[in-house]
Amino acid sequence: MEPDHVDEIISAWGHELPEIAGLPLELAKRTALLVSAFDIAAAAELEKLGLTQAEYGVLATLRRIGAPYRLKPTDLTHALLLSSGGTSNVIKRLVAAGYVTRAAAEDDARSSWVQLTPSGVETAEAAVRATTAVHARLVDRIPERTAKALSEQLRIALAAIEEGVLIRR
């Protein structure tokens, strides 16, 4: 294959700091670029709906868990890898937009439920469909066999590294 942008980065670091120019840097750069491509494509679709990535994350999380489409803010924070303050700000914006409501938890006066409104369900579904479609257009550029193999290899890699990095128990 032709050298790509990541190969150029690795080569440059190979001259400057050879000890860092290896497979870990190459994997980090390639996965970051892949994530960036998906995020940029999704962001364009979400902008059409007036949503940020964080707002989309909350709406999609609530929608995918099924009726009654509600979670506690702490559960959203963990599911989305956001800070509690960040989650709180997103929830406030979604309440103001009419996409979610906040109600006191019956079993714990210190907690609350965040629940999709009918408008929130509709918006979540529109956003999920739009981002999935744009992601599918990106994946369609990859031979199917390659995409399936990549997905399986990423599953193996994530299983090996996510404990303690992405999942804190």
Side-chain angles (χ1 to χ4, degrees):
M1 292 194 87
E2 294 276 324
D4 65 3
H5 180 63
V6 174
D7 292 324
E8 293 171 13
I9 292 170
I10 302 301
S11 177
W13 279 118
H15 296 296
E16 297 298 318
L17 294 174
E19 68 275 13
I20 70 153
L23 189 56
L25 181 60
E26 184 175 349
L27 284 172
K29 292 296 179 189
R30 289 191 194 289
T31 54
L33 286 171
L34 186 61
V35 167
S36 184
F38 281 101
D39 284 350
I40 289 167
E45 294 302 311
L46 294 174
E47 187 176 338
K48 295 175 190 174
L49 296 168
L51 297 173
T52 65
Q53 290 275 13
E55 291 164 345
Y56 168 71
V58 169
L59 293 175
T61 299
L62 290 170
R63 177 59 186 90
R64 84 167 170 255
I65 63 167
Y69 313 117
R70 72 178 193 169
L71 285 173
K72 293 186 176 178
T74 303
D75 296 326
L76 284 168
T77 296
H78 293 301
L80 298 169
L81 302 174
L82 293 173
S83 68
S84 60
T87 302
S88 181
N89 289 334
V90 171
I91 291 169
K92 285 177 190 173
R93 291 194 307 267
L94 292 172
V95 167
Y99 296 144
V100 300
T101 59
R102 229 178 151 151
E106 310 81 37
D107 60 335
D108 183 357
R110 298 168 297 158
S111 187
S112 63
W113 290 103
V114 177
Q115 184 169 2
L116 286 178
T117 64
S119 176
V121 171
E122 185 179 304
T123 301
E125 289 176 2
V128 169
R129 284 187 174 100
T131 57
T132 301
V134 75
H135 289 163
R137 287 192 296 275
L138 292 178
V139 172
D140 283 347
R141 298 177 183 181
I142 305 169
E144 184 176 358
R145 185 172 164 184
T146 301
K148 286 181 178 180
L150 176 60
S151 180
E152 188 56 33
Q153 294 304 309
L154 287 171
R155 176 194 319 273
I156 293 165
L158 285 168
I161 66 173
E162 72 181 353
E163 184 69 37
V165 176
L166 296 176
I167 299 173
R168 298 191 196 317
R169 296 187 197 254

